[in-house]
Amino acid sequence: KFLPAAIALQILSLGAIFYSLFTVFNTTLISIGKPGLVTKIYFLIAGVNVVLNIVLIPYYGISGAAITLSLTYLLGFLFTLFYLRKFVKITISGKAIFKIFFGSFLTLLIVVFIKTVFVTDPWIEMFISLAAGLAFYFLFIVYSKTIDRSDIKILEKMNIPLSKRASKILMKLIR
């Protein structure tokens, strides 16, 4: 009975990744004095959203709406990334983005596996899944060299609450 909604939710969970990045990037564009550009991007992706909804919903129903929304967020993410690279002169390598998504996907698989193996109290499942997921993802980004010493220095300059001890441990782990 709820199977179509489950598929749509799975599609939307992928879209949520792009939505998160899109939100961070468009907020950054606004903060550097480009709110008009962000408004134009919103109008563009809203138009794409309407067109895709008209095309996909009649054929795929709620899943078509989920696909449309996820594609819209992906498009918004790509546009804001393009303009951020242009205005802020940041270098975000495609390889680093791939590593982040790949690590996130592997973390998701681990969490799903843990939840299927440990069928117990939901709070215990949540704690075990969260602890294992965070530990794996942290180790993944360190050992896959997704972050490096310059990233730690940027965090320190941004006054991100990172203790001296945590900073030293990270610097030792990241070669």
Side-chain angles (χ1 to χ4, degrees), residues 136-147:
F136 173 80
Y137 190 73
F138 174 76
L139 292 172
F140 179 85
I141 63 170
V142 168
Y143 289 109
S144 67
K145 299 184 179 169
T146 303
I147 60 172

Side-chain angles (χ1 to χ4, degrees), residues 11-29 42 45 69-70 72-78 80-81 84 100-101 104:
I11 295 167
L12 287 172
S13 65
L14 179 64
I17 296 168
F18 298 118
Y19 173 75
S20 299
L21 294 169
F22 171 55
T23 302
V24 170
F25 290 176
N26 76 41
T27 302
T28 305
L29 284 171
Y42 269 109
I45 66 174
L69 192 58
S70 295
T72 302
Y73 289 147
L74 172 63
L75 187 63
F77 159 67
L78 292 174
T80 53
L81 175 62
L84 262 183
I100 290 167
F101 281 115
S104 299

Side-chain angles (χ1 to χ4, degrees), residues 61-170:
I62 192 171
S63 294
I67 291 167
T68 295
L69 192 58
S70 295
L71 288 175
T72 302
Y73 289 147
L74 172 63
L75 187 63
F77 159 67
L78 292 174
F79 274 119
T80 53
L81 175 62
F82 171 78
Y83 284 110
L84 262 183
R85 292 179 79 166
K86 181 178 177 181
F87 294 121
V88 182
K89 306 287 190 260
I90 59 171
T91 54
I92 302 174
S93 77
K95 187 176 180 181
I97 290 175
F98 173 77
K99 286 180 184 180
I100 290 167
F101 281 115
F102 185 68
S104 299
F105 180 72
L106 290 177
T107 303
L108 175 67
L109 290 178
I110 288 170
V111 168
V112 168
F113 175 76
I114 288 171
K115 289 198 57 66
T116 57
V117 170
F118 294 106
V119 180
T120 182
D121 179 56
W123 289 102
I124 295 172
E125 283 180 25
M126 182 187 72
F127 177 77
I128 292 171
S129 298
L130 185 64
L134 286 173
F136 173 80
Y137 190 73
F138 174 76
L139 292 172
F140 179 85
I141 63 170
V142 168
Y143 289 109
S144 67
K145 299 184 179 169
T146 303
I147 60 172
D148 58 19
R149 291 178 182 265
S150 65
D151 294 321
I152 304 303
K153 290 177 183 175
I154 289 170
L155 290 176
E156 290 171 347
K157 285 181 185 175
M158 293 173 58
N159 294 322
I160 301 294
L162 190 64
S163 70
K164 294 280 186 197
R165 181 180 169 117
S167 181
K168 284 182 182 179
I169 291 170
L170 280 173

